Amino acid sequence: MIEHRTERATREQRRKALIERGYNPYPARVARTHQCREVEVNFDALESSAERISITGRIRSLRKHGGSCFLDLEDQSGRLQVFVKKDSVGDSTYSLLVDFTDVGDFAEISGTAYRTQRGEKSLLAQTYRIISKSLEPLPEKWHGLSDVEVRYRKRYLDLLANSEIKTVFKKRDLIMRAVRKFLEAEQCMEVETPVLQPIPGGALARPFTTHHNALGSDFYLRVAPELYLKRLIVGGFEKVYEVARCFRNEGVDHSHNPEFTQVECYIAYMDYEKLMEFIEQLIASTVTAVTGELKTEFEGHMIEFFAPFQRITFRDALQKYAKIDIDKFPETSSLHKELLRRDFRVEPGWQRAEMMDELLKDFVRPALIQPTFIYRYPVELSPLSKKTEDDQRYVERFQLFCAGKEIVNAFSEINDAIDQRERFTDQDRRRAQGNEELHRIDEEFLDALAHGMPPTAGFGLGIDRLTNILTNTHSIKEVIFFPTLKPSAQ
């Protein structure tokens, strides 16, 4: 720590000395003709033409040798070695480099393509100037950056110290581009809906609450955009989607962050069976864009995304993995009694829905490594899904699981306003009994539905979890630039 403070003080002294000499170490304007990678790729042509080029970036290493120096300059495209000779740049510029420059500073350097005696592609400097003086040393100065808490809290240092982290986020960008490209090709229109909502809805989750001073009303950060997107279907748009930041006031673990990204999409005149095929195509297209093939390795498993994905009903999945037939326990009391007999944990106040959901999480989800659709969910778990025609106890809903993670939730949407009101009323009654995650009655949405909505299917795709799988990272925090953390003062 003492050494670190000394380093900071030395850099501040150099900054002060530069300013006292009339040198601005933080200019607003810089000149750049090429990125580092461009110079490397076009090196032979640049060398032959002796074209003067200008590069900018951060100094990542500096090696002084009397009347000459070597440094590595890095920009977003890559790194390039620069050779600076005192005879070429002059005494004052050379002094600026050797006396006032630190690793971590940003510089603007112009010169010509030059190959060293070892054949290394380099830039022979003709001019040099500092364009941003850094005051803190880079992480590798103090043996790198490995503390996980610091990595998440100071992601800027993580990106500088760990090049593989940049690769993760570049792949996340590819995922988003691929998803958008696929949906646009399907003529889906990207829209934006409110993040501040007077009534939270669209998912079973506890919301964050805020207050709008001008309106004198409480609002909620959205848990999902669903109910607003379906209003647009009512209004005549047939294919809409949103890349939505959502907020859920719930626990934090390796697969949950209170603030996360999902893509929600609604398509008129489609049911959940056709939507399964649509999701297979979307996932395959995205995986191929990122990996170049229809498979990827995740935590020692080779995940293959060849259609058709495996399919199993909710009931059959619980029979297979939890060894329980939920149809034999149709009431809360009977299922509760059976789970207690099996020594399965049951929280106070749990209804049949919560118990079935917990069985799925504990027994089924961890077993689903290859992409698998679980479909035909119990109606108690799905307040926004259309009931199956052959059995009113179940709904036309599916979830896509992969590598033990839920990455898609989808269903045929309820478009019967009376049925939806009955579901909302049941949810609101149970919410009043203590479960704050359940739906409230949304009269404005019910009014929209009463004006008629065509048969529609919709899905939500979890971008963070899909990125985990396609980058072989375990924690959701690894794929969110700035994950939610307790304030450092606490």
Side-chain angles (χ1 to χ4, degrees), residues 264-292:
E264 284 211 13
C265 178
Y266 294 84
I267 303 175
Y269 312 111
M270 180 180 283
D271 66 7
Y272 84 134
E273 292 181 342
K274 289 292 184 182
L275 187 57
M276 286 190 210
E277 298 175 8
F278 186 92
I279 291 296
E280 287 173 336
Q281 296 168 17
L282 168 60
I283 296 297
S285 175
T286 303
V287 171
T288 302
V290 176
T291 69

Short mmCIF file of all heavy atoms in Angstrom, two decimals, residues 264-292:
data_model
loop_
_atom_site.label_atom_id
_atom_site.label_comp_id
_atom_site.label_asym_id
_atom_site.label_seq_id
_atom_site.Cartn_x
_atom_site.Cartn_y
_atom_site.Cartn_z
N GLU A 264 -38.04 -9.75 -25.09
CA GLU A 264 -39.42 -10.26 -25.13
C GLU A 264 -40.00 -9.97 -26.50
O GLU A 264 -39.80 -8.88 -27.06
CB GLU A 264 -40.28 -9.62 -24.04
CG GLU A 264 -40.02 -10.17 -22.66
CD GLU A 264 -41.24 -10.16 -21.75
OE1 GLU A 264 -42.37 -9.96 -22.26
OE2 GLU A 264 -41.07 -10.37 -20.54
N CYS A 265 -40.71 -10.97 -27.04
CA CYS A 265 -41.25 -10.86 -28.40
C CYS A 265 -42.64 -11.48 -28.43
O CYS A 265 -42.88 -12.53 -27.81
CB CYS A 265 -40.32 -11.59 -29.37
SG CYS A 265 -40.89 -11.60 -31.10
N TYR A 266 -43.57 -10.84 -29.16
CA TYR A 266 -44.94 -11.33 -29.29
C TYR A 266 -45.32 -11.34 -30.76
O TYR A 266 -45.09 -10.37 -31.48
CB TYR A 266 -45.90 -10.46 -28.45
CG TYR A 266 -45.59 -10.62 -26.99
CD1 TYR A 266 -44.58 -9.87 -26.39
CD2 TYR A 266 -46.22 -11.59 -26.23
CE1 TYR A 266 -44.23 -10.07 -25.07
CE2 TYR A 266 -45.88 -11.79 -24.90
CZ TYR A 266 -44.87 -11.03 -24.33
OH TYR A 266 -44.52 -11.25 -23.04
N ILE A 267 -45.91 -12.47 -31.17
CA ILE A 267 -46.24 -12.69 -32.58
C ILE A 267 -47.69 -13.13 -32.69
O ILE A 267 -48.09 -14.15 -32.12
CB ILE A 267 -45.31 -13.74 -33.21
CG1 ILE A 267 -43.84 -13.33 -33.06
CG2 ILE A 267 -45.66 -13.95 -34.68
CD1 ILE A 267 -42.87 -14.37 -33.55
N ALA A 268 -48.48 -12.34 -33.39
CA ALA A 268 -49.88 -12.67 -33.58
C ALA A 268 -50.03 -13.86 -34.52
O ALA A 268 -49.18 -14.11 -35.39
CB ALA A 268 -50.63 -11.45 -34.13
N TYR A 269 -51.12 -14.59 -34.33
CA TYR A 269 -51.50 -15.74 -35.17
C TYR A 269 -50.48 -16.88 -35.08
O TYR A 269 -50.26 -17.61 -36.04
CB TYR A 269 -51.71 -15.30 -36.63
CG TYR A 269 -52.60 -14.09 -36.72
CD1 TYR A 269 -52.10 -12.85 -37.13
CD2 TYR A 269 -53.95 -14.16 -36.35
CE1 TYR A 269 -52.92 -11.72 -37.18
CE2 TYR A 269 -54.77 -13.04 -36.40
CZ TYR A 269 -54.24 -11.83 -36.81
OH TYR A 269 -55.05 -10.70 -36.84
N MET A 270 -49.86 -17.02 -33.92
CA MET A 270 -48.93 -18.11 -33.67
C MET A 270 -49.28 -18.73 -32.32
O MET A 270 -49.70 -18.02 -31.40
CB MET A 270 -47.48 -17.61 -33.68
CG MET A 270 -46.44 -18.70 -33.42
SD MET A 270 -44.73 -18.09 -33.43
CE MET A 270 -44.43 -17.90 -35.20
N ASP A 271 -49.13 -20.07 -32.21
CA ASP A 271 -49.34 -20.72 -30.91
C ASP A 271 -48.00 -21.22 -30.37
O ASP A 271 -46.96 -21.07 -31.00
CB ASP A 271 -50.35 -21.87 -31.03
CG ASP A 271 -49.84 -23.02 -31.89
OD1 ASP A 271 -48.66 -23.01 -32.30
OD2 ASP A 271 -50.62 -23.96 -32.14
N TYR A 272 -48.05 -21.81 -29.17
CA TYR A 272 -46.78 -22.15 -28.53
C TYR A 272 -46.05 -23.29 -29.20
O TYR A 272 -44.82 -23.40 -29.08
CB TYR A 272 -47.00 -22.42 -27.03
CG TYR A 272 -47.45 -23.79 -26.60
CD1 TYR A 272 -46.83 -24.42 -25.53
CD2 TYR A 272 -48.49 -24.47 -27.23
CE1 TYR A 272 -47.23 -25.68 -25.09
CE2 TYR A 272 -48.90 -25.73 -26.80
CZ TYR A 272 -48.27 -26.33 -25.73
OH TYR A 272 -48.67 -27.57 -25.31
N GLU A 273 -46.76 -24.15 -29.95
CA GLU A 273 -46.06 -25.22 -30.67
C GLU A 273 -45.24 -24.65 -31.82
O GLU A 273 -44.09 -25.03 -32.03
CB GLU A 273 -47.07 -26.25 -31.16
CG GLU A 273 -47.72 -27.05 -30.01
CD GLU A 273 -48.70 -28.08 -30.52
OE1 GLU A 273 -49.14 -27.97 -31.68
OE2 GLU A 273 -49.02 -29.01 -29.75
N LYS A 274 -45.84 -23.73 -32.58
CA LYS A 274 -45.08 -23.07 -33.65
C LYS A 274 -43.95 -22.22 -33.07
O LYS A 274 -42.88 -22.08 -33.67
CB LYS A 274 -46.02 -22.19 -34.49
CG LYS A 274 -46.99 -22.97 -35.37
CD LYS A 274 -46.23 -23.72 -36.48
CE LYS A 274 -47.21 -24.41 -37.42
NZ LYS A 274 -46.50 -25.18 -38.47
N LEU A 275 -44.21 -21.67 -31.88
CA LEU A 275 -43.19 -20.83 -31.26
C LEU A 275 -41.97 -21.66 -30.84
O LEU A 275 -40.84 -21.16 -30.87
CB LEU A 275 -43.79 -20.11 -30.04
CG LEU A 275 -42.89 -19.06 -29.38
CD1 LEU A 275 -42.45 -17.99 -30.37
CD2 LEU A 275 -43.61 -18.42 -28.19
N MET A 276 -42.18 -22.92 -30.48
CA MET A 276 -41.02 -23.78 -30.16
C MET A 276 -40.10 -23.89 -31.38
O MET A 276 -38.87 -23.80 -31.24
CB MET A 276 -41.49 -25.17 -29.73
CG MET A 276 -42.08 -25.25 -28.35
SD MET A 276 -42.32 -26.97 -27.85
CE MET A 276 -43.74 -26.81 -26.77
N GLU A 277 -40.67 -24.06 -32.55
CA GLU A 277 -39.86 -24.14 -33.77
C GLU A 277 -39.15 -22.82 -34.03
O GLU A 277 -37.97 -22.79 -34.43
CB GLU A 277 -40.75 -24.51 -34.95
CG GLU A 277 -41.43 -25.88 -34.81
CD GLU A 277 -42.40 -26.17 -35.95
OE1 GLU A 277 -42.43 -25.36 -36.92
OE2 GLU A 277 -43.12 -27.18 -35.88
N PHE A 278 -39.86 -21.72 -33.78
CA PHE A 278 -39.28 -20.38 -33.96
C PHE A 278 -38.08 -20.21 -33.03
O PHE A 278 -37.02 -19.69 -33.44
CB PHE A 278 -40.37 -19.35 -33.66
CG PHE A 278 -39.97 -17.92 -33.93
CD1 PHE A 278 -40.22 -17.33 -35.15
CD2 PHE A 278 -39.38 -17.15 -32.93
CE1 PHE A 278 -39.87 -16.00 -35.39
CE2 PHE A 278 -39.03 -15.82 -33.16
CZ PHE A 278 -39.28 -15.25 -34.39
N ILE A 279 -38.22 -20.65 -31.77
CA ILE A 279 -37.14 -20.52 -30.79
C ILE A 279 -35.95 -21.39 -31.20
O ILE A 279 -34.78 -20.98 -31.07
CB ILE A 279 -37.63 -20.91 -29.38
CG1 ILE A 279 -38.63 -19.86 -28.87
CG2 ILE A 279 -36.47 -21.04 -28.41
CD1 ILE A 279 -38.06 -18.48 -28.68
N GLU A 280 -36.21 -22.59 -31.69
CA GLU A 280 -35.11 -23.45 -32.16
C GLU A 280 -34.29 -22.74 -33.23
O GLU A 280 -33.05 -22.78 -33.22
CB GLU A 280 -35.67 -24.76 -32.69
CG GLU A 280 -36.17 -25.71 -31.60
CD GLU A 280 -36.86 -26.94 -32.16
OE1 GLU A 280 -37.36 -26.87 -33.31
OE2 GLU A 280 -36.92 -27.96 -31.45
N GLN A 281 -34.99 -22.08 -34.16
CA GLN A 281 -34.29 -21.37 -35.24
C GLN A 281 -33.53 -20.16 -34.70
O GLN A 281 -32.38 -19.90 -35.11
CB GLN A 281 -35.31 -20.94 -36.29
CG GLN A 281 -35.99 -22.10 -37.00
CD GLN A 281 -37.19 -21.66 -37.82
OE1 GLN A 281 -37.36 -20.48 -38.12
NE2 GLN A 281 -38.06 -22.60 -38.17
N LEU A 282 -34.15 -19.42 -33.77
CA LEU A 282 -33.50 -18.25 -33.19
C LEU A 282 -32.24 -18.64 -32.44
O LEU A 282 -31.17 -18.02 -32.61
CB LEU A 282 -34.48 -17.53 -32.26
CG LEU A 282 -33.89 -16.44 -31.35
CD1 LEU A 282 -33.25 -15.33 -32.17
CD2 LEU A 282 -34.97 -15.88 -30.43
N ILE A 283 -32.34 -19.67 -31.60
CA ILE A 283 -31.18 -20.09 -30.81
C ILE A 283 -30.08 -20.63 -31.72
O ILE A 283 -28.89 -20.31 -31.55
CB ILE A 283 -31.59 -21.16 -29.78
CG1 ILE A 283 -32.58 -20.57 -28.76
CG2 ILE A 283 -30.36 -21.71 -29.07
CD1 ILE A 283 -32.02 -19.45 -27.92
N ALA A 284 -30.45 -21.43 -32.71
CA ALA A 284 -29.45 -21.98 -33.63
C ALA A 284 -28.73 -20.87 -34.39
O ALA A 284 -27.50 -20.90 -34.55
CB ALA A 284 -30.12 -22.94 -34.61
N SER A 285 -29.48 -19.89 -34.84
CA SER A 285 -28.89 -18.77 -35.57
C SER A 285 -27.92 -17.99 -34.69
O SER A 285 -26.83 -17.60 -35.12
CB SER A 285 -30.01 -17.84 -36.07
OG SER A 285 -29.47 -16.69 -36.68
N THR A 286 -28.31 -17.80 -33.43
CA THR A 286 -27.47 -17.03 -32.50
C THR A 286 -26.20 -17.80 -32.14
O THR A 286 -25.09 -17.24 -32.14
CB THR A 286 -28.27 -16.69 -31.24
OG1 THR A 286 -29.46 -15.97 -31.60
CG2 THR A 286 -27.44 -15.85 -30.28
N VAL A 287 -26.35 -19.09 -31.83
CA VAL A 287 -25.19 -19.91 -31.47
C VAL A 287 -24.19 -19.95 -32.62
O VAL A 287 -22.97 -19.82 -32.42
CB VAL A 287 -25.64 -21.34 -31.08
CG1 VAL A 287 -24.43 -22.25 -30.92
CG2 VAL A 287 -26.46 -21.30 -29.80
N THR A 288 -24.69 -20.12 -33.83
CA THR A 288 -23.80 -20.18 -35.01
C THR A 288 -23.06 -18.86 -35.21
O THR A 288 -21.87 -18.85 -35.55
CB THR A 288 -24.61 -20.53 -36.26
OG1 THR A 288 -25.28 -21.78 -36.06
CG2 THR A 288 -23.71 -20.63 -37.48
N ALA A 289 -23.76 -17.74 -34.98
CA ALA A 289 -23.12 -16.43 -35.15
C ALA A 289 -21.97 -16.23 -34.17
O ALA A 289 -20.99 -15.56 -34.48
CB ALA A 289 -24.16 -15.33 -34.98
N VAL A 290 -22.08 -16.84 -32.99
CA VAL A 290 -21.08 -16.63 -31.95
C VAL A 290 -19.97 -17.67 -32.02
O VAL A 290 -18.78 -17.34 -31.86
CB VAL A 290 -21.74 -16.66 -30.55
CG1 VAL A 290 -20.69 -16.55 -29.44
CG2 VAL A 290 -22.76 -15.53 -30.43
N THR A 291 -20.32 -18.93 -32.26
CA THR A 291 -19.33 -20.01 -32.19
C THR A 291 -18.91 -20.55 -33.55
O THR A 291 -17.91 -21.27 -33.64
CB THR A 291 -19.89 -21.19 -31.36
OG1 THR A 291 -20.96 -21.82 -32.08
CG2 THR A 291 -20.40 -20.71 -30.01
N GLY A 292 -19.69 -20.25 -34.57
CA GLY A 292 -19.38 -20.78 -35.90
C GLY A 292 -19.91 -22.17 -36.13
O GLY A 292 -19.74 -22.74 -37.21
#
